[in-house]
Every structure is written in C-alpha cells, then in structure tokens.
Amino acid sequence: MELFATAEQMGHEQVVFFHHKESGLKAIVAIHNTVLGPALGGLRMWPYESEDEALTDVLRLSRGMTYKAAVSGLNLGGGKSVIIGDPKKDKSEAFFRALGKFIDSLGGRYITAEDVNTTVNDMEYIFAETDNVVGVPEVHGGGGDPSPLTAYGTIRGIQACLNRKYGHTDLSKASYAVQGAGNVGIHIIRTLREAGAKVTVCDMNEKRLEECREMGCEIVDLDAIYDVDCDVYVPCALGATVNDDTIPRLKCDIVAGSANNQLAEERHGTELEKRGMIYAPDYAINAGGLMNVAIELQGYNKDRAYRQVKGIYDIIEKIFEIADRDSIPSWQAADRLAEERIEAMSHVKLPHVEQRSKRASGRRPKA
C-alpha cells in the first residue's frame, strides 16, 4: 500500500505504528479527522495475515468513526486502532500497558475503547497508563455494558422509520424479523415483545433462541430470516446481509437494525429505496454505544446517556429530511449530514482555554 497516497485520498491526518519488542505488541493507530474533537474509536485485535491487511482495516474503520461521531452530534473525531495478533495467545498485562503508554504519547488526539476481541479487562490495563480510554469498568467511573443503550437507540431509530412509512411510532403495530439475538439483539427483541409486537428471530445460539421462545417469538433457520413476511427487517448480527442475493427475498418495508456495515455495497442502499423500502443508515441508528462511552469523558451519568441516545430518533428524521431535500438515498444523506457538520465546524475558531485536570471529572483515580 502507498500509505501517503491512501491517507491523502481517504483524508487521514495521522497514522502511527507502535512496536514493543518485549511484549510482542504490534499495533496501528489511525486518526482520520479531529475537526470536531479528539478521535475516538475502538481497539480491534485480529490475526491479520499481513500488515497491509491490518492497515487497510484500520484506515477504513477510522474513517467510518468520523462519520458516526459527526452524525451523532458528538464533539469527537474519528479514529481506530488495531493489534496484529492472536487474541487467544498473545494477550498479557504488559502487552496492553505498553499500548496504553503509546496511546498516552499521542497527547489526547486519540481515545480508545473496546472492540472486536478486546474486553473491559483489557481496557483496564490501558487505563493504568493513560486517561485516553473509555469503556472502562464501572468501578473506575465507566458506563458498563453499552448493549442496552445501543439497543435503545436502535428502537428509537425504528420508531423514526415507522413514522416515515406509516405515520405512527407504535412498535406494536408492526411485525419484525430480527437477525441475531446477541447482546444487543436480545434487548431489542425484549423491547418489541414487551410492546406486544410479532417478532421472528434467528440465531446460532440455542440458549438465546430458547429465551426468545419463552418471550413468544417465532424461530426460523438462519437463512430463512430473509424470507419472513414482516414490516421491519432488523439485522443485529453479521454485516453485509443486505446484498444482491438477499434484497430480492426481503418482504419488508423497512430495514433498520444494530449491525455494522449492513450494506454489502453502498449501491444496495440505493436498491432498497428503488424497491420502496426505507433504510436507516447503520452507523446512525446504532450510535447509542458510542454516545454511551463518550459520556465517560465528562463523568458518566446513565440518565444523561439515555437522554442523548433518545435523540437518535431526531437524527434519523434529519437524515430523511436531507434525503428528501437533495433527492438522494438515505445512506448518502447520512454521509452528507456528517460532512456538512464537519465542514461547518471547520470554520469555527474557538478561543484557547486552559486544559482541565488530566483525569476527567467523575473518573476515579487508578489504584
């Protein structure tokens, strides 16, 4: 990969490679954009086959975080970090504390959090070396499991879609096909069933499926979820489930779920709308988890987190307004909303203020 050419094309400000010989750490941090604030994005650990593969992943993911933070109305930019390694064999306290020192050396331009194959415990080791980490345990002032907030935000986004399509926000008046009953999906399913809605579910985890049966859900095989006659298809598991093969099979009016990267390609979002379906852009509707961890930077408060996540309804409505204004599909309207906010704020010159104390209010000192 021609790194400088790629970074210029994608708009990255900074890409940093970290290596710690003693612990075996090999990590890359990509800072995409800091116009709105310091770059925030999770730490992914994966046995990448090559450094090029790792670099491609971190550049793509960090750019996505810029758009997610901007659409969410957060005063944060976009970044991401990846570790090249086997999460089953390579983890150690020294490993993550070394990374914490490296992240601290960036002077607050990048804030990390847990992601694929990293945990709250891993974040605690990083927290021992830097304040520039969120998603820490509750004992340190963290917000705990973000899944309920991600699910709540998804429900609010679904309600915005119901209002656009049917003119109401009553969950009970629609039927749902939920793909995935994981940590987020199970909360969504429970909320829908408590509202009295008809819910069909698929998942690989039989224990979770039994829980869904007890709630009164209908269970179907993994591949059969695309053929369910419903009002709303709710992808909450794998990405790229909206593709050339599945779109002709979908029997719904709305696609709105918590999964990341739901569209196999951007053109599939356009195809949904050509078929008369409403699509809630994934990085907007599933932003509740990001909003939740971001609040840790001011001192975590659950009531404030829920108030902010409640606003995802308004964000989805704003995306639809831009789609109507510019005659573009919703996936493109979400990008435009993010780009317009970044462009507007890039011209705002704030006065210099004295930096606050190193540890954010509400976060407890390390032992």
Side-chain angles (χ1 to χ4, degrees):
M1 179 186 290
E2 295 289 337
L3 176 56
F4 283 108
T6 303
E8 182 177 2
Q9 180 183 9
M10 297 182 70
H12 285 79
E13 296 177 2
Q14 188 175 7
V15 181
V16 185
F17 292 76
F18 292 134
H19 177 234
H20 187 251
K21 181 180 178 180
E22 289 75 13
S23 67
L25 173 70
K26 295 178 181 178
I28 309 172
V29 173
I31 297 173
H32 179 256
N33 187 291
T34 57
V35 168
L36 298 177
L40 190 151
L43 169 64
R44 177 170 297 193
M45 186 171 186
W46 196 260
Y48 295 101
E49 294 184 3
S50 67
E51 293 175 12
D52 262 5
E53 184 184 7
L55 181 57
T56 298
D57 203 27
V58 76
L59 292 176
R60 175 183 62 85
L61 293 167
S62 57
R63 182 178 183 274
M65 289 304 300
T66 292
Y67 281 74
K68 189 168 190 171
V71 164
S72 301
L74 299 173
N75 295 319
L76 293 168
K80 205 77 173 182
S81 52
V82 298
I83 295 173
I84 302 172
D86 186 340
K88 296 180 180 179
K89 299 188 302 183
D90 297 334
K91 288 186 177 184
S92 68
E93 177 182 359
F95 191 88
F96 286 104
R97 292 189 69 162
L99 181 58
K101 284 183 175 295
F102 283 132
I103 289 173
D104 200 58
S105 73
L106 295 174
R109 281 178 51 77
Y110 170 67
I111 301 165
T112 197
E114 65 178 294
D115 199 334
V116 175
N117 290 327
T118 60
T119 68
V120 171
N121 290 337
D122 301 329
M123 296 306 108
E124 190 163 19
Y125 287 136
I126 293 174
F127 185 59
E129 302 296 338
T130 183
D131 290 328
N132 299 315
V133 54
V134 291
V136 297
E138 292 179 73
V139 68
H140 295 308
D145 180 12
S147 299
L149 274 296
T150 304
Y152 176 58
T154 303
I155 290 290
R156 292 291 292 160
I158 289 172
Q159 288 179 307
C161 293
L162 292 175
N163 189 48
R164 181 170 176 83
K165 187 68 178 181
Y166 306 123
H168 68 78
T169 60
D170 189 342
L171 297 171
S172 69
K173 292 182 178 179
S175 57
Y176 306 83
V178 182
Q179 182 190 51
N183 291 339
V184 176
I186 196 68
H187 288 292
I188 293 172
I189 292 164
R190 186 173 294 112
T191 300
L192 294 174
R193 285 298 301 142
E194 287 174 352
K198 178 183 178 182
V199 182
T200 305
V201 179
C202 75
D203 197 273
M204 297 177 63
N205 188 320
E206 186 57 40
K207 185 176 179 181
R208 281 293 171 87
L209 289 180
E210 184 56 36
E211 188 175 346
C212 292
R213 286 190 188 94
E214 292 175 359
M215 284 190 278
C217 300
E218 181 179 341
I219 308 300
V220 297
D221 292 337
L222 295 176
D223 188 60
I225 198 72
Y226 307 111
D227 302 311
V228 174
D229 192 352
C230 63
D231 296 309
V232 188
Y233 167 56
V234 189
C236 297
L238 301 173
T241 65
V242 179
N243 54 53
D244 288 333
D245 295 329
T246 62
I247 289 175
R249 297 168 58 187
L250 292 175
K251 300 175 182 177
C252 62
D253 291 330
I254 297 167
V255 175
S258 65
N260 289 311
N261 305 313
Q262 293 168 27
L263 305 178
E265 299 176 38
E266 290 176 336
R267 64 181 176 86
H268 292 121
T270 304
E271 180 62 26
L272 288 177
E273 300 204 2
K274 285 181 179 178
R275 292 171 178 258
M277 302 179 200
I278 290 175
Y279 170 62
D282 48 22
Y283 68 79
I285 195 172
N286 69 13
L290 175 63
M291 294 176 177
N292 184 62
V293 296
I295 286 175
E296 290 183 26
L297 298 172
Q298 291 81 44
Y300 188 75
N301 180 282
K302 184 163 288 187
D303 290 338
R304 189 163 75 246
Y306 271 97
R307 283 199 303 272
Q308 185 159 0
V309 174
K310 184 179 182 181
I312 287 177
Y313 180 100
D314 301 312
I315 292 169
I316 299 299
E317 283 209 325
K318 181 64 175 177
I319 289 169
F320 293 149
E321 289 173 10
I322 293 173
D324 291 340
R325 180 195 73 189
D326 298 344
S327 299
I328 55 177
S330 61
W331 68 264
Q332 192 175 356
D335 288 356
R336 192 159 295 180
L337 175 60
E339 290 161 359
E340 287 178 356
R341 182 171 181 242
I342 292 169
E343 173 63 19
M345 294 304 296
S346 69
H347 301 293
V348 176
K349 304 297 183 183
L350 298 177
H352 175 75
V353 294
E354 184 178 352
Q355 288 188 336
R356 66 197 302 174
S357 61
K358 185 173 172 61
R359 182 161 303 283
S361 172
R363 300 184 75 182
R364 297 163 192 165
K366 299 184 284 278

